[in-house]
Amino acid sequence: MSGESLVAQQVERLAAARNRLRAADTQGALMLYAQVLRNDPSNIEALDILAMAELARGAVPAAIALLERARVADPGNAAVLAHLGTALRHARRNDEAEVVLREALALDPQDFVARLQLGAAIEDLGRADAAMFTYFSAISAAQNQGRWRNDETTAPVLRPLLRHAMQQVDAGRARIFGEVVAPLRRQHGRDALARVERCLAAYLGAMPAAYADDRQRPSLLYFPDLPARPWFGAELFPWYAELESHTDAIRDELLAVLDEQDGIEPFLDIALPAQRSAYLGGGAPQWNAFFFYRHGTRYEENSARCPRTVCALDAVPLVRIRGHAPECLFSVLTPGSHILPHHGVTNTRLVTHLPLVVPEDCVLRVGGEDHIWNEGRCITFDDTFLHEAWNRSEQTRVVMLLDTWNPYLTEVEKKAIGDLVVAIGDFKRAAESS
């Protein structure tokens, strides 16, 4: 038989084997893959499929041997490395499994199955906390893609390990975040932290959030027994008058920024256009920002350009949480833009606007209730209620946006929530780097 005929025959066998797999004829597929391998001992697909079949029936050494052959034939094949790492873990060669699985994830960071197996290898090596972070990262990545939410979205072979991983994550998070609250509980008593404890339990999934208003859906943290209202009256914020008295000075600095354009950037730091479109609509929409603080970091150059604005902000009781708050900026919405309905992260902090440049046909809607900004008059709202804003004019709309604590929190609760938010952020970063 000619070389071309052999190649054609191999192609036909591979196609037939794949069809058998799709038809759930596993034995028929494996027979065809074995024939492919006899004619082409380095065929990656056949080596990989046959190896995983050996692993499924408990023939771990045979699976490793096949996968080692595949690795030699194609050293940069992430799927082969992931399967080899899994097989090595089953052989209790966990040191080697960790190395190989990390190689696989360096090539394909989104392989959440490989990351789950890495967590198991690390746990078997006695590093329980590191394993828990890795498990969390794997589960989060899978669930973000609609997988591992229940048995129907989880491969049967993975279910026992996934259940174990989830138990480890649940126990680890409860321990870590419980330790954050414990010193305040000892200092101030259990009653002073009762709402915080319920907030944490809801975050961890140990109890339902029990929203007081169906329009309210915090994306991160729901604090119970706070007044559930979209809008908060000026009488709750005695610092309004002082901030409003600086409106003209702040507007002058804003107009200078708009003239120069330096330092203005997109508010949405989302890389993918499809993700941005979920938040921003309208004709050629732009939601821009000139930041004084973002995620708790002060923008020194921007602040130096607007000293009177910064001085006014310094007199406001802003939320201050390492790596998270405050968030203060000139929020710039160009003509025709529409910030689409969405929910904020937590009802423990509120959003205040000081309107600076407001043309007609500009509206803020929170919880289904519309508000038209009045220049120089502050408003405060809970952005965990469904909210949106639009500018249907032909001019730019600008408000100064800043965040403050919900006034119905006690000082102890503010401290506890700040500590918890830092701990949650640290946990996520540890998981991302695992």
Side-chain angles (χ1 to χ4, degrees), residues 259-332:
D259 284 343
E260 297 173 9
Q261 288 295 304
D262 290 341
I264 295 178
E265 59 186 276
F267 178 83
L268 296 170
D269 52 355
I270 300 173
L272 298 178
Q275 291 177 313
R276 284 196 298 272
S277 65
Y279 285 90
L280 196 57
Q286 290 187 52
W287 181 12
N288 295 323
F290 184 83
F291 287 103
F292 299 103
Y293 290 91
R294 186 165 218 195
H295 308 314
T297 299
R298 180 161 168 154
Y299 282 43
E300 296 294 349
E301 185 174 338
N302 289 358
S303 297
R305 290 168 59 189
C306 302
R308 291 176 293 180
T309 299
V310 170
C311 183
L313 282 173
D314 286 344
V316 175
L318 302 171
V319 178
R320 296 187 183 274
I321 301 174
R322 172 175 62 80
H324 297 271
E327 185 122 310
C328 303
L329 59 138
F330 292 144
S331 175
V332 182

Side-chain angles (χ1 to χ4, degrees), residues 7-22 29 32-33 36-37 40 43-47 49:
V7 170
Q9 189 178 69
Q10 286 287 81
V11 170
E12 289 176 4
R13 283 194 181 121
L14 283 169
R18 293 171 194 141
N19 287 334
R20 293 286 181 90
L21 282 179
R22 282 192 287 269
L32 288 168
Y33 277 119
V36 168
L37 199 59
D40 179 8
N43 186 278
I44 302 300
E45 182 178 341
L47 286 166
I49 294 290

Side-chain angles (χ1 to χ4, degrees), residues 53 76 105 108 140 152 176 242 252 271 290 351 368 386-387 415 421:
L105 287 164
D108 183 6
S140 297
E152 289 69 33
I176 289 170
E242 176 65 19
D252 288 344
F290 184 83
V351 177
L386 191 67
H387 63 287
K415 169 63 175 165
V421 169

Side-chain angles (χ1 to χ4, degrees), residues 45-352:
E45 182 178 341
L47 286 166
D48 191 42
I49 294 290
L50 291 168
M52 297 312 289
E54 295 285 8
L55 189 61
R57 70 183 187 88
V60 178
I64 292 173
L66 289 166
L67 289 163
E68 289 285 14
R69 285 169 56 184
R71 184 189 194 185
V72 171
D74 186 2
N77 190 306
V80 167
L81 290 169
H83 292 161
L84 176 57
T86 299
L88 290 167
R89 189 183 74 77
H90 281 278
R92 300 190 181 280
R93 293 160 59 180
N94 288 297
D95 286 321
E96 297 169 76
E98 180 180 3
V99 171
V100 173
L101 288 165
R102 290 195 186 280
E103 289 179 18
L105 287 164
L107 293 166
D108 183 6
Q110 301 306 311
D111 186 345
F112 44 80
V113 176
R115 200 169 295 280
L116 182 71
Q117 297 290 347
L118 175 61
I122 292 171
E123 185 178 10
D124 287 344
L125 288 167
R127 297 173 2 236
D129 278 357
M132 182 259 299
F133 287 124
T134 304
Y135 284 146
F136 179 84
S137 180
I139 294 165
S140 297
Q143 293 186 343
N144 285 341
Q145 297 182 36
R147 305 287 297 281
W148 296 358
R149 295 183 179 276
N150 48 43
D151 280 354
E152 289 69 33
T153 56
T154 307
V157 69
L158 288 176
R159 289 172 191 168
L161 176 56
L162 180 60
R163 281 194 288 270
H164 171 77
M166 288 180 167
Q167 290 168 358
Q168 295 301 106
V169 169
D170 288 346
R173 292 205 306 163
R175 171 178 54 81
I176 289 170
F177 299 141
E179 289 171 355
V180 170
V181 178
L184 289 172
R185 189 192 307 117
R186 288 193 295 269
Q187 181 180 357
H188 298 279
R190 189 170 295 276
D191 289 347
L193 275 299
R195 295 197 300 183
V196 174
E197 301 279 10
R198 288 165 54 205
C199 172
L200 179 57
Y203 172 73
L204 293 172
M207 63 178 292
Y211 301 114
D213 191 308
D214 288 339
R215 297 171 295 173
Q216 189 177 28
R217 284 293 183 274
S219 61
L220 176 67
L221 204 63
Y222 175 71
F223 198 94
D225 294 339
L226 293 176
R229 61 178 71 150
W231 303 97
F232 285 70
E235 69 279 2
L236 295 169
F237 310 100
W239 46 267
Y240 266 14
E242 176 65 19
L243 181 61
E244 290 172 348
S245 72
H246 297 285
T247 297
D248 290 341
I250 294 171
R251 185 189 293 111
D252 288 344
E253 292 182 336
L254 160 69
L255 294 175
V257 166
L258 293 177
D259 284 343
E260 297 173 9
Q261 288 295 304
D262 290 341
I264 295 178
E265 59 186 276
F267 178 83
L268 296 170
D269 52 355
I270 300 173
L272 298 178
Q275 291 177 313
R276 284 196 298 272
S277 65
Y279 285 90
L280 196 57
Q286 290 187 52
W287 181 12
N288 295 323
F290 184 83
F291 287 103
F292 299 103
Y293 290 91
R294 186 165 218 195
H295 308 314
T297 299
R298 180 161 168 154
Y299 282 43
E300 296 294 349
E301 185 174 338
N302 289 358
S303 297
R305 290 168 59 189
C306 302
R308 291 176 293 180
T309 299
V310 170
C311 183
L313 282 173
D314 286 344
V316 175
L318 302 171
V319 178
R320 296 187 183 274
I321 301 174
R322 172 175 62 80
H324 297 271
E327 185 122 310
C328 303
L329 59 138
F330 292 144
S331 175
V332 182
L333 196 61
T334 58
S337 297
H338 183 184
I339 301 170
L340 300 175
H342 63 285
H343 296 278
V345 296
T346 177
N347 62 332
T348 60
R349 69 106 173 92
L350 304 176
V351 177
T352 294

